[in-house]
Amino acid sequence: MLRLTNIYKLFNPGTVDEKTALAGINLQLNPGDFVTVIGSNGAGKSTLMNIISGAMRPDMGDVLIDNQNVTQMPEFKRSIFIGRVFQDPMAGTAPRMTIEENLAMAYKRGQGRGLRLGVTRRRREMFREQLARLGIGLENRLRAKVGLLSGGERQALSLLMATFTNPRILLLDEHTAALDPARADLITRLTETIVREQRLTTLMVTHNMEQAIRLGNRLIMMDKGRIILDIDPDKKKSLTVERLLGEFEQISGHKLSDDRIVLG
Amino acid sequence: MQAIWTSMSGSVEAGLLYALMALGVYITFRILDFPDLTVDGSFTTGGAIAAVMINAGYSPWLATAAALAGGLVAGSLTGLLHAKGKINGLLSGILMMIALYSINLRILGRPNMSLLGMDTIFPPIERDRRWMLLIVIAVVIVIIKLLIDAFLKTDLGLALRATGDNAKMIGSFGANTDTTKIIGVSLSNGLVALSGAVIAMQQGFADISMGIGMIVIGLASVIIGEALFGAKTVFRATLAVVLGSIVYRIVVALALRVDWLESSDVKLITAIIVIIALVVPTASRSWTMKKQAYKRSRELAGSEAGR
Ligand SMILES: Nc1ncnc2c1ncn2[C@@H]1O[C@H](COP(=O)(O)OP(=O)(O)O)[C@@H](O)[C@H]1O
Ligand SMILES: [Mg+2]
């Protein structure tokens, strides 16, 4: 499904500000894998997401999707395979456009965009059905500007837009981190349902340890641009937060440092 | 009374013809969020192409179409400079505007060219039946406005709007934002050049400086329109631009009736209108906020004291 081989990514190379964001990442996702990703601040998690989506190019190494080498393929072309939800609820939607217009743009993911009407009657019905799955009443507000929605509603819409066309890979980068606990909980539950129902191959960065353990079938831990631990489905079932933190300290030699870490 | 009526209908007619240019400015400034200054050059390009072709004996309709095409090309070059050449948007427009000055002189071959006595797309018409022409122009402009509205609702149009609203988002859904920018700037300058062509025909000449200050006039129309008529939906926004363009012409005509103002003061008046239209809404918003905050503070202070 997705394979990364020996990925390196440096920022400001050759200057005093040089940062090795990724230092030899190897990762393989199999169809239907739901992998949670944890790691300290600056471990390279977001950079990894950007490399997979094509928003950034690696300095070395290859990205393969369905055995096709996409390393040099620009983001807008790669998006045919990839659905993404960002941390910032503002990032995934166009605020001055309506809910149905946003969905119409997402509906055309990776296809040519021509001079056909964007929101047709048939599509509108489909959007209404899809929005109803979220269970927050957005199906009755198709013509509302997205800028009027709350952060939680926007993130739910972003999640729907990223997934309803069944992308090959779903990338979630701390997509609940900017929300209050109740909203974050809602988005987490929606994510769980959608990923399960559509069997999406998913990579989800989270700072919530309990969530990282409970969700998905695999867990990877990153530190200083490397994957330092990859926990397979068998082991993951018996994992606890204490054991996870213990493992991290033992392998990395320091405590998991992130002010936002939630233990569960 | 008769004089006022004539000057009013003249303002409305000019407002409608310049509305094409204002719609172009709306597409770049408001939809793409791209401050494109090509306008000052491409307006003249449109006028120059039309004047030269008509003088050479071509059909005025063909000349108008060629002017439109010239604007589309000029705009796509600005778009290319910005999107592919990675040149700052403002600078791309300025570079193109300067380049167009020379190109326009080449097209015209001299600083100005008369169209008097030649066939244009405007039929020769007696004075007292001019209102019929006005209605035809209004209908044509409304049709063009509706076509723009329709375009902005297509899949491509949605992608174009999203490029100005959240480029990162539409990029992550597979639209090439370089392409949408180029298409948008091109379309915008096409409309601007079209406007330049019809204005040249209406006033009976094209000259090298006819585009100077167009960008500010376009902006004035957009801002006045939004302030007076609102911009909630695309339909409303484009309608507001057309009406804004008419209101602008009326305001200028009225200002020029003031004795001590000269026609050369028009550009200054335009700049002042834009400044007022930009400053007043922001200032009044922050004034309301301050009043609101003061009121709430007093309420809070009152309830503290009461405890
Ligand atoms: N655009 C950038 N320019 C310079 N340095 C960057 C940039 N993006 C990330 N970095 C650096 O790369 C490292 C990894 O960042 P990131 O992938 O955002 O970490 P994480 O998401 O795990 O917190 C950090 O040290 C960060 O400072
Ligand atoms: Mg991050």
Side-chain angles (χ1 to χ4, degrees):
Chain A
M1 179 61 61
L2 170 72
R3 206 163 83 220
L4 304 177
T5 54
N6 205 24
I7 301 274
Y8 277 82
K9 178 71 190 175
L10 271 62
F11 288 108
N12 310 316
T15 71
V16 285
D17 290 329
E18 182 173 298
K19 271 261 149 60
T20 310
L22 296 177
I25 296 281
N26 288 294
L27 179 67
Q28 165 134 16
L29 295 197
N30 300 313
D33 264 353
F34 182 174
V35 182
T36 55
V37 183
I38 58 170
S40 2
N41 257 337
K45 305 180 295 291
S46 297
T47 308
L48 179 65
M49 295 296 198
N50 286 330
I51 295 276
I52 297 172
S53 74
M56 291 175 183
R57 308 272 165 90
D59 300 322
M60 217 175 89
D62 289 311
V63 181
L64 284 86
I65 298 177
D66 285 337
N67 292 320
Q68 183 187 353
N69 193 327
V70 297
T71 317
Q72 298 305 325
M73 190 186 276
E75 180 184 23
F76 77 87
K77 283 198 182 148
R78 233 186 266 188
S79 67
I80 201 169
F81 310 110
I82 296 171
R84 248 196 126 171
V85 184
F86 304 96
Q87 175 174 343
D88 176 6
M90 305 299 146
T93 46
R96 289 184 297 163
M97 299 173 73
T98 63
I99 293 181
E100 61 183 16
E101 286 170 340
N102 271 274
L103 282 161
M105 293 188 282
Y107 180 75
K108 278 288 192 175
R109 166 201 299 290
Q111 301 177 37
R113 288 163 205 265
L115 296 178
R116 298 257 176 82
L117 188 61
V119 184
T120 58
R121 198 166 300 176
R122 244 193 42 223
R123 284 190 201 165
R124 183 175 290 132
E125 273 325 299
M126 197 262 281
F127 297 159
R128 211 189 294 280
E129 269 168 41
Q130 292 288 337
L131 285 165
R133 289 170 68 198
L134 300 176
I136 51 176
L138 291 184
E139 64 275 18
N140 304 318
R141 299 170 67 188
L142 281 172
R143 296 210 171 123
K145 292 254 168 81
V146 169
L148 298 173
L149 305 184
S150 72
E153 287 167 338
R154 276 183 84 159
Q155 205 62 331
L157 179 61
S158 303
L159 183 63
L160 184 64
M161 285 166 61
T163 54
F164 82 124
T165 52
N166 283 314
R168 307 288 285 156
I169 298 163
L170 175 63
L171 301 177
L172 307 168
D173 191 354
E174 305 202 42
H175 68 309
T176 63
L179 306 174
D180 65 66
R183 305 284 184 169
D185 207 48
L186 168 75
I187 299 297
T188 307
R189 269 186 287 123
L190 286 171
T191 306
E192 232 183 319
T193 318
I194 289 174
V195 169
R196 177 164 28 82
E197 283 177 359
Q198 299 175 211
R199 294 198 188 83
L200 297 173
T201 307
T202 305
L203 204 55
M204 177 175 111
V205 178
T206 176
H207 58 265
N208 183 324
M209 294 297 125
E210 183 272 332
Q211 213 177 67
I213 292 170
R214 187 170 52 82
L215 297 182
N217 64 333
R218 262 170 78 188
L219 185 153
I220 62 177
M221 196 184 263
M222 289 184 65
D223 188 48
K224 300 200 176 86
R226 289 170 212 278
I227 293 176
I228 55 169
L229 190 63
D230 188 339
I231 297 175
D232 60 40
D234 284 343
K235 269 204 201 147
K236 190 161 179 290
K237 287 194 190 100
S238 57
L239 202 62
T240 62
V241 173
E242 294 81 58
R243 294 226 333 244
L244 189 58
L245 292 177
E247 290 249 20
F248 182 90
E249 273 189 59
Q250 199 178 5
I251 303 170
S252 70
H254 60 90
K255 275 193 190 298
L256 189 56
S257 63
D258 186 334
D259 329 329
R260 295 167 310 150
I261 287 271
V262 179
L263 296 180
Chain B
M1 199 58 216
Q2 181 65 34
I4 292 187
W5 166 246
T6 313
S7 112
M8 265 303 256
S9 70
S11 299
V12 173
E13 186 178 316
L16 286 167
L17 297 179
Y18 280 105
L20 292 172
M21 180 272 296
L23 284 167
V25 171
Y26 166 76
I27 290 176
T28 44
F29 267 76
R30 282 296 190 254
I31 292 189
L32 281 180
D33 197 15
F34 180 101
D36 175 32
L37 301 189
T38 314
V39 175
D40 279 22
S42 57
F43 187 83
T44 312
T45 306
I49 292 177
V52 167
M53 284 185 68
I54 291 173
N55 269 289
Y58 288 99
S59 135
W61 293 101
L62 183 63
T64 309
L68 170 71
L72 292 172
V73 172
S76 59
L77 290 177
T78 305
L80 275 170
L81 287 180
H82 174 60
K84 299 294 182 196
K86 307 288 172 216
I87 299 175
N88 163 292
L90 214 51
L91 190 56
S92 308
I94 292 174
L95 288 171
M96 205 53 214
M97 179 182 81
I98 292 293
L100 282 175
Y101 186 84
S102 301
I103 293 171
N104 293 337
L105 260 177
R106 286 270 179 186
I107 296 173
L108 274 174
R110 51 176 187 251
N112 56 63
M113 186 178 280
S114 169
L115 283 167
L116 287 179
M118 306 216 188
D119 272 351
T120 68
I121 60 171
F122 300 104
I125 204 160
E126 299 116 66
R127 250 195 129 71
D128 55 338
R129 291 177 63 190
R130 218 164 155 85
W131 59 271
M132 279 173 61
L133 181 63
L134 192 60
I135 290 174
V136 173
I137 293 176
V139 169
V140 171
I141 299 296
V142 167
I143 290 174
I144 293 176
K145 168 222 157 8
L146 291 174
L147 281 174
I148 294 173
D149 292 353
F151 169 68
L152 291 173
K153 285 190 155 54
T154 62
D155 287 316
L156 181 60
L158 291 179
L160 200 112
R161 285 161 63 198
T163 303
D165 202 10
N166 187 346
K168 185 173 168 188
M169 167 261 172
I170 191 66
S172 82
F173 285 108
N176 183 345
T177 50
D178 284 352
T179 310
T180 51
K181 270 182 206 156
I182 294 169
I183 292 174
V185 181
S186 173
L187 183 65
S188 160
N189 283 287
L191 286 166
V192 171
L194 184 61
S195 183
V198 294
I199 288 294
M201 291 188 253
Q202 189 235 21
Q203 66 189 11
F205 66 92
D207 84 62
I208 189 66
S209 59
M210 68 190 279
I212 294 180
M214 266 318 129
I215 185 65
V216 184
I217 294 176
L219 258 186
S221 309
V222 171
I223 295 169
I224 293 171
E226 282 174 351
L228 295 182
F229 309 104
K232 271 229 170 74
T233 60
V234 171
F235 179 89
R236 279 276 291 280
T238 52
L239 183 65
V241 171
V242 174
L243 296 177
S245 172
I246 295 172
V247 171
Y248 166 80
R249 288 291 150 189
I250 294 174
V251 170
V252 169
L254 291 178
L256 287 179
R257 298 179 82 83
V258 177
D259 282 340
W260 47 272
L261 284 173
E262 310 263 334
S263 64
S264 57
D265 293 331
V266 168
K267 293 199 164 47
L268 176 62
I269 296 171
T270 309
I272 291 174
I273 293 174
V274 173
I275 292 168
I276 292 174
L278 285 175
V279 171
V280 169
T282 340
S284 83
R285 217 175 303 132
S286 86
W287 169 245
T288 326
M289 289 257 278
K290 259 189 209 152
K291 259 188 10 197
Q292 186 79 14
Y294 179 70
K295 214 177 104 197
R296 281 292 295 145
S297 307
R298 268 186 46 169
E299 278 171 22
L300 287 175
S303 66
E304 290 279 305
R307 226 181 268 163

